[in-house]
Amino acid sequence: STAGLSFVLPSSAARCRALPQSEGRDGLQVCRSGGPVVRTHPALLVAPAPPCGYGVFTTERLAKGTKLGEYVGEARGYDVWCEEIKALKRAARGSDDAVPFIPEELYAAWTGSGPKDAGVVVDAFHAGNTMRFINCSCAPNATFSAFGRGSQNHSRLQVVATRDIEPWEQVSVNYGWYFDDATLQDVRKEAVKAFNADLAGIRALSAWAVARRARAASGGAT
């Protein structure tokens, strides 16, 4: 795909603009050194992942060290991005307190200190590729790996497996939320609330998986 979206994407998940490669904002340029865009691994797909909405899963075993794809989005000045997040929070609830979080702040990954040492993030909320659907975990099976560092002191990011990942296992990374206790507790609270809301769907998905395995074991169609 010219958009780098080599995955199965439920239409209800397509709420962002597909990018073939990262774009610069806030006066930033994305370095093109390091070679072409790291393509999404063909074994990956996007599927419902309650309570986190959607997630990225693998259809085959991925060995430790496998490159899963480049984390594509908008390169943003961290200070500018932070102010925009605070403004969104004030508009929504009259306060820019760190918690509760808002969805707009959950898709940013740190890429370096930037030209003015103010920090740079790749933000995939509004625009991105498969990698934006990877969920956060305190026990992840993949990580962000920096490459292609440019003259503005920030890098491109790729996702790399940190251990063997089994078929149909969800891919996860640590976005860094767990370093802040208030955010960690808020994420846990919202996850429990979402889980309870999605419980019926989870049970239905589990029943479908059991039936699919039974059909496969009996030689029937899947």
Side-chain angles (χ1 to χ4, degrees), residues 132-192:
R132 76 182 292 278
F133 291 97
I134 294 179
N135 287 314
C136 185
S137 172
C138 57
N141 53 26
T143 189
F144 291 120
S145 177
F147 73 105
R149 194 170 189 83
S151 60
Q152 290 187 320
N153 205 26
H154 64 98
S155 306
R156 294 160 61 187
L157 295 178
Q158 60 185 338
V159 180
V160 179
T162 55
R163 62 166 174 80
D164 294 345
I165 305 176
E166 299 303 319
W168 302 110
E169 186 177 354
Q170 185 177 177
V171 177
S172 60
V173 297
N174 187 348
Y175 284 91
W177 309 337
Y178 297 96
F179 297 127
D180 178 74
D181 187 63
T183 301
L184 171 58
Q185 298 306 320
D186 188 43
V187 168
R188 285 175 172 168
K189 182 187 71 175
E190 292 300 315
V192 170

Side-chain angles (χ1 to χ4, degrees), residues 68-123:
L68 306 184
E70 185 166 344
Y71 194 84
V72 167
E74 298 174 315
R76 302 295 314 274
Y78 181 65
D79 52 348
V80 178
W81 177 82
C82 282
E83 289 304 313
E84 289 184 4
I85 294 297
K86 290 179 180 178
L88 288 171
K89 289 182 174 181
R90 288 193 295 268
R93 61 177 187 242
S95 170
D96 59 12
D97 290 345
V99 294
F101 65 82
I102 57 175
E104 287 87 344
E105 64 185 306
L106 301 182
Y107 294 81
W110 184 267
T111 68
S113 57
K116 298 180 181 179
D117 292 326
V120 176
V121 295
V122 172
D123 179 23

